[in-house]
Amino acid sequence: MKTVSQYLNSIFASHRYLLISIPVIAIISYSICLIFISNDLSTYLLSPKTEINDNMLINLVDSTNIRWSFALIVGLPFIHLTFISNLFYKSYDFTIPMNSWQKLTAYLLIGLFILFYNFLIILGLNYLVEFYFRHQYWDEVIAALDRQGLLYTEISKYSIFYNGSFTIISAPMALLFFLFYPYFLFAALYFRKYSLVISAAILLTGVALGVFISSRIWDGYSYHISNLSYMTFYSWVPTYVAALITYIGFYYFLKEREV
């Protein structure tokens, strides 16, 4: 692990701005999405409380939490990886002699660090929104329910009032990042010219082909299957197997370039 640690130090020493750029990009992206995607929530954030009537308050009872934040959790790390991927080539120049397992381990740890750091920022923003709505509107919602005679109505656990808590519960969804990560590695290290375009085209073609074959096999009858375990297997296991095969292929790609 010493060699892997040295390689990681060389990456992060050359890109110390990651400590600042990750939260900055996360905050900017989150703010833009909050304003333009969650129009219903932005009304409560930007409008004076005097303009919020009882009907609007009651709508918060079953409001939807900010689920699009998971797209930021999974997607934003690739922006940062795109900027530092040029340093991945240094190991090919043997400035730090590494075998294929060490290189693959280093790439996985780099991705994990950026993913986890970005996740913490988005999680903090989700908790900040939760705190704002609890502090500003919780008592008002309860009072509005009382005025309308809805005395036994409970606030949904999936509402904006539990936004950060829902993010914690759904944290395993962040592992979706590692489904796409091997394709990004191929894009960064294999297709040197037009790398992202070629890799994205291959990935989208594979997804389209998979959807087409799946629709022909099931022929529209998949909705009649009630076995939840089987449907979960069908939805996720083939995808993870494809990602695992891609990781294995990437390992042998690295192995071909060992001294």
Side-chain angles (χ1 to χ4, degrees):
M1 291 296 293
K2 182 178 179 180
T3 303
V4 174
S5 177
Q6 290 176 340
Y7 181 57
L8 292 176
N9 286 335
S10 69
I11 294 290
F12 292 117
S14 302
H15 289 76
R16 294 177 181 174
Y17 67 84
L18 282 172
L19 297 177
I20 299 176
S21 65
I22 290 177
V24 168
I25 292 179
I27 292 172
I28 293 175
S29 302
Y30 191 95
S31 301
I32 292 174
C33 292
L34 192 60
I35 294 174
F36 294 101
I37 295 180
S38 298
N39 291 326
D40 51 340
L41 295 180
S42 62
T43 301
Y44 299 94
L45 293 171
L46 302 177
S47 301
K49 291 183 66 175
T50 54
E51 297 181 6
I52 307 298
N53 55 41
D54 281 1
N55 290 331
M56 296 175 66
L57 290 171
I58 293 175
N59 287 337
L60 285 174
V61 172
D62 296 313
S63 60
T64 304
N65 53 55
I66 304 178
R67 298 186 180 184
W68 48 256
S69 63
F70 285 98
L72 300 181
I73 291 173
V74 175
L76 290 183
F78 290 107
I79 295 177
H80 304 285
L81 287 165
T82 300
F83 285 107
I84 70 173
S85 61
N86 64 309
L87 286 186
F88 291 173
Y89 305 128
K90 283 191 172 182
S91 59
Y92 291 168
D93 299 330
F94 311 112
T95 55
I96 301 177
M98 302 173 67
N99 60 40
S100 53
W101 277 116
Q102 290 171 329
K103 292 174 186 176
L104 182 57
T105 300
Y107 298 147
L108 291 175
L109 290 176
I110 291 171
L112 180 61
F113 169 79
I114 296 176
L115 173 68
F116 183 68
Y117 189 14
N118 181 69
F119 172 79
L120 291 179
I121 302 301
I122 300 298
L123 175 63
L125 293 172
N126 279 341
Y127 266 115
L128 185 63
V129 171
E130 175 183 322
F131 174 80
Y132 174 84
F133 275 88
R134 278 179 173 268
H135 180 72
Q136 293 291 326
Y137 292 107
W138 182 277
D139 293 337
E140 282 76 3
V141 168
I142 299 300
L145 291 172
D146 290 342
R147 286 193 294 269
Q148 298 297 323
L150 304 173
L151 303 179
Y152 301 101
T153 302
E154 294 184 358
I155 297 179
S156 172
K157 298 295 183 180
Y158 300 100
S159 70
I160 195 64
F161 294 105
Y162 297 92
N163 192 50
S165 305
F166 180 80
T167 307
I168 289 289
I169 296 173
S170 306
M173 290 182 62
L175 296 177
L176 288 171
F177 167 83
F178 289 101
L179 286 179
F180 303 100
Y181 193 35
Y183 306 102
F184 173 85
L185 292 174
F186 266 117
L189 296 172
Y190 188 77
F191 303 114
R192 300 292 293 272
K193 189 176 183 180
Y194 307 116
S195 58
L196 293 179
V197 175
I198 295 175
S199 187
I202 293 175
L203 178 60
L204 292 176
T205 301
V207 170
L209 183 61
V211 171
F212 175 79
I213 295 175
S214 176
S215 64
R216 295 305 181 202
I217 293 176
W218 288 108
D219 197 22
Y221 292 101
S222 60
Y223 299 102
H224 298 285
I225 298 176
S226 59
N227 189 321
L228 181 60
S229 298
Y230 187 80
M231 291 304 298
T232 301
F233 174 89
Y234 174 75
S235 300
W236 294 108
V237 172
T239 309
Y240 277 104
V241 169
L244 179 60
I245 293 173
T246 307
Y247 278 116
I248 295 173
F250 185 72
Y251 162 75
Y252 283 104
F253 164 72
L254 295 175
K255 195 171 182 64
E256 290 178 356
R257 281 153 177 77
E258 288 184 12
V259 178

